[in-house]
């Protein structure tokens, strides 16, 4: 498949710290591509470089065969790259519907004077945005909560609101930054189904996540980062059995039987020699 997103020698330095170090990576159109790695591996920094929330120190970002390395985040969003955040960024006093409508801001065409005068064109546009937001809420299973203040809902539900807000504009590439953070096992299983449905709708997904129970059944391909560098790339089956990946996660290996359920380690059986 053709690469929708291509990263070439992409790097980001913070003073003397190299957070992302010359990463090469391609994400094929129509797939769910996971990015995993131990804490501090550079996963969220990489996502910020793709979304434009951080500028690259060096290297290149190409989206749909266009060099967007120097584009600001808002231009990337208008072009078809949307994201969620590891820390929720909702408007708690606004309704669920209003929060999702915010995700359509890049698609609006009416100007301020039209909004102030409530022109027919502005009213029609607002109604169209509300319909799109309701469709997105129905897609994630939250249409029943459309008029509820977002801040009054449970954490797992707020995660879905943020996904709906990123999904509503039907981006070509959806970046999900640890969407399972704070979710229980039942919510995590529902999220697997939702991400699969997003892919089925024609949207490519780049997923940064710690929870292997979400990554392994959801992703078509996985890139592993360690100390800011690409350690491995392949299918979930390849990654499960990759010796360097196992070492990075487990630090020498433990058996599956003895692995703590809360460790977040790869679902592998690996005994130390």
């Amino acid at each position: 498949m053709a690469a929708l997103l291509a990263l070439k020698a992409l790097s980001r330095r913070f003073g003397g710290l190299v957070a992302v170090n010359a990463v090469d990576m391609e994400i094929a159109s129509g797939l769910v591509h996971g990015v995993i790695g131990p804490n501090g591996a550079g996963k969220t920094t990489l996502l910020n470089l793709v979304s434009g929330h951080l500028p690259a120190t060096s290297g290149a970002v190409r989206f749909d065969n266009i060099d967007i390395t120097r584009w600001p985040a808002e231009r990337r969003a208008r072009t078809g790259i949307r994201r969620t955040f590891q820390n929720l960024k909702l408007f708690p006093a606004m309704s669920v519907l209003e929060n999702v409508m915010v995700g359509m801001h890049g698609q609006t065409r009416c100007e301020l004077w039209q909004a102030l005068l409530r022109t027919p064109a502005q009213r029609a546009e607002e109604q169209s945005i509300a319909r799109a937001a309701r469709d997105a809420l129905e897609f994630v299973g939250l249409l029943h909560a459309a008029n509820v203040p977002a801040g009054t809902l449970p954490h797992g539900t707020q995660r879905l609101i943020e996904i709906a807000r990123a999904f509503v504009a039907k981006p070509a590439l959806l970046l999900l930054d640890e969407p399972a953070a704070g979710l229980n096992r039942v919510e995590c299983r529902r999220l697997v189904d939702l991400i699969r449905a997003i892919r089925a709708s024609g949207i490519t997904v780049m997923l940064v996540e710690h929870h292997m129970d979400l990554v392994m059944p959801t992703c078509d391909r996985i890139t592993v980062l360690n100390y800011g560098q690409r350690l491995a790339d392949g299918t979930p089956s390849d990654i499960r059995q990759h010796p360097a990946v196992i070492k990075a996660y487990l630090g020498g290996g433990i058996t599956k039987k003895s692995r703590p359920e809360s460790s977040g380690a790869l679902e592998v059986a690996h005994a130390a020699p």
Side-chain angles (χ1 to χ4, degrees):
M1 293 184 181
L4 177 65
L5 180 74
L7 312 180
K8 181 65 175 177
L10 193 64
S11 298
R12 172 66 193 194
R13 294 178 177 84
F14 297 94
L17 173 66
V18 183
V20 173
N21 189 3
V23 169
D24 291 332
M25 178 178 170
E26 290 189 351
I27 295 182
S29 181
L31 300 184
V32 178
H33 194 119
V35 179
I36 66 173
N39 288 333
K43 303 182 297 297
T44 293
T45 300
L46 185 69
L47 205 70
N48 287 335
L49 295 174
V50 173
S51 66
H53 286 81
L54 277 176
T57 303
S58 60
V61 180
R62 296 188 67 85
F63 176 65
D64 201 16
N65 208 30
I66 299 171
D67 190 334
I68 64 170
T69 309
R70 303 305 170 197
W71 287 16
E74 60 270 20
R75 186 177 179 187
R76 299 188 196 198
R78 289 196 302 269
T79 306
I81 300 176
R82 295 299 181 97
R83 68 167 298 175
T84 65
F85 292 87
Q86 184 176 349
N87 298 317
L88 291 168
K89 294 185 181 294
L90 298 178
F91 299 96
M94 291 168 54
S95 72
V96 170
L97 181 66
E98 290 168 335
N99 269 275
V100 177
M101 288 174 68
V102 169
M104 291 293 289
H105 71 279
Q107 277 62 44
T108 57
R109 296 292 177 264
C110 289
E111 299 183 13
L112 178 60
W113 68 268
Q114 292 173 293
L116 292 173
L117 295 176
R118 297 287 293 167
T119 65
Q122 189 277 334
R123 292 198 303 271
E125 184 176 71
E126 186 175 16
Q127 291 169 1
S128 176
I129 290 172
R131 284 195 299 272
R134 288 182 180 277
D135 288 345
L137 286 174
E138 185 174 19
F139 185 84
V140 303
L142 289 181
L143 184 56
H144 64 281
N147 297 317
V148 177
T152 66
L153 294 170
H155 178 84
T157 304
Q158 292 187 33
R159 286 278 177 198
L160 294 179
I161 298 170
E162 191 164 60
I163 292 174
R165 186 174 62 188
F167 171 83
V168 66
K170 302 296 178 65
L173 177 64
L174 178 60
L175 312 176
L176 300 178
D177 191 2
E178 299 199 23
L183 302 189
N184 59 39
R185 287 181 178 271
V186 173
E187 292 170 329
C188 192
R189 284 195 294 269
R190 291 173 181 166
L191 185 58
V192 170
D193 293 336
L194 177 58
I195 295 174
R196 287 172 173 170
I198 291 171
R199 177 186 58 187
S201 75
I203 295 174
T204 303
V205 178
M206 181 178 178
L207 171 67
V208 168
E209 186 53 70
H210 280 292
H211 289 72
M212 294 302 106
D213 289 344
L214 174 65
V215 171
M216 290 299 173
T218 306
C219 294
D220 301 291
R221 198 163 187 88
I222 298 171
T223 296
V224 185
L225 297 182
N226 196 32
Y227 295 108
Q229 295 181 303
R230 192 180 76 168
L231 180 65
D233 186 281
T235 66
S237 178
D238 295 335
I239 297 303
R240 280 193 186 96
Q241 302 173 54
H242 198 293
V245 175
I246 296 170
K247 183 177 181 181
Y249 266 83
L250 305 182
I254 58 175
T255 64
K256 184 177 180 181
K257 182 177 180 180
S258 65
R259 177 180 55 81
E261 288 301 319
S262 61
S263 69
L266 293 172
E267 289 290 337
V268 296
H270 180 63

